[in-house]
Amino acid sequence: MEGFLKIGDTTFDLNTSALYSSAGVMDNEDNIGSLMLGIEATFKEGIYDGEEIKPEISIYFYDMNVEEVSEMVGKSIELNDRHKSIEREDFVLLLDDEAFEKYKINVLAVENGEMHIEMSGSIIKDIDEWPLKTVDFYMDCWLAIKTI
């Protein structure tokens, strides 16, 4: 496993322990024969906005409408509604649990028990602050595939 997360101008390396970072795959009980994908990615400590943080991205499961993990390659997930992100309980841990303003996830490859994930979008820096301030992010990681 390898990868990084870039938030604004700050880059964090992936925590390569499979215990902390993985592409979770499970059967969809509501759509028999279809697999779901969820993402857990933690990153090594670094300085962001003058604070030492250890970022984490958590994306709850999406139905990918495929029967095999290999069929996820080329598939995308897009969310453009911060309220839906909060409702789904997708989050990014920076200084606190922050919400996504929007994101797009691309499954680029599946090889040797790992999934190559690319994710980009914007994060709400502080959900309680008005007006909302966002920061762009980009993640590019090979994550261990964990069957749940």
Side-chain angles (χ1 to χ4, degrees), residues 61-129:
F61 287 90
Y62 275 96
D63 187 352
M64 299 300 287
N65 292 309
V66 299
E67 294 179 8
E68 301 291 330
V69 173
S70 61
E71 295 174 45
M72 291 185 192
V73 175
K75 298 281 187 180
S76 295
I77 300 166
E78 195 161 355
L79 185 138
N80 289 306
D81 180 346
R82 70 175 174 267
H83 301 292
K84 185 72 171 172
S85 172
I86 293 166
E87 179 184 306
R88 285 182 36 80
E89 298 182 10
D90 296 336
F91 71 88
V92 58
L93 178 62
L94 297 178
L95 300 173
D96 201 352
D97 286 352
E98 310 299 352
F100 292 98
E101 174 77 359
K102 62 182 178 181
Y103 61 75
K104 183 174 183 180
I105 300 167
N106 296 307
V107 179
L108 303 177
V110 172
E111 295 176 13
N112 303 318
E114 293 184 345
M115 185 176 291
H116 188 185
I117 300 282
E118 177 184 68
M119 183 176 181
S120 61
S122 61
I123 299 165
I124 300 170
K125 290 176 77 171
D126 185 345
I127 196 73
D128 298 321
E129 186 177 315

Side-chain angles (χ1 to χ4, degrees), residues 17 124 147:
S17 169
I124 300 170
T147 303

Side-chain angles (χ1 to χ4, degrees), residues 14 26 28 30 32 37 46 50 70 72 79-80 83 113 127-128 142-143 145-146:
L14 181 69
M26 64 184 269
N28 184 349
D30 296 329
I32 304 301
L37 173 66
S70 61
M72 291 185 192
L79 185 138
N80 289 306
H83 301 292
I127 196 73
D128 298 321
W142 281 91
L143 300 173
I145 297 170
K146 185 185 293 185

Side-chain angles (χ1 to χ4, degrees), residues 14-81:
L14 181 69
N15 179 345
T16 56
S17 169
L19 295 174
Y20 301 109
S21 299
S22 64
V25 176
M26 64 184 269
D27 290 323
N28 184 349
E29 294 176 3
D30 296 329
N31 186 6
I32 304 301
S34 183
L35 294 176
M36 299 179 74
L37 173 66
I39 298 169
E40 293 288 335
T42 61
F43 299 85
K44 296 178 182 177
E45 291 179 357
I47 304 296
Y48 175 75
D49 265 0
E51 300 280 338
E52 187 171 301
I53 65 168
K54 187 176 176 181
E56 178 180 335
I57 288 181
S58 181
I59 302 297
Y60 200 71
F61 287 90
Y62 275 96
D63 187 352
M64 299 300 287
N65 292 309
V66 299
E67 294 179 8
E68 301 291 330
V69 173
S70 61
E71 295 174 45
M72 291 185 192
V73 175
K75 298 281 187 180
S76 295
I77 300 166
E78 195 161 355
L79 185 138
N80 289 306
D81 180 346

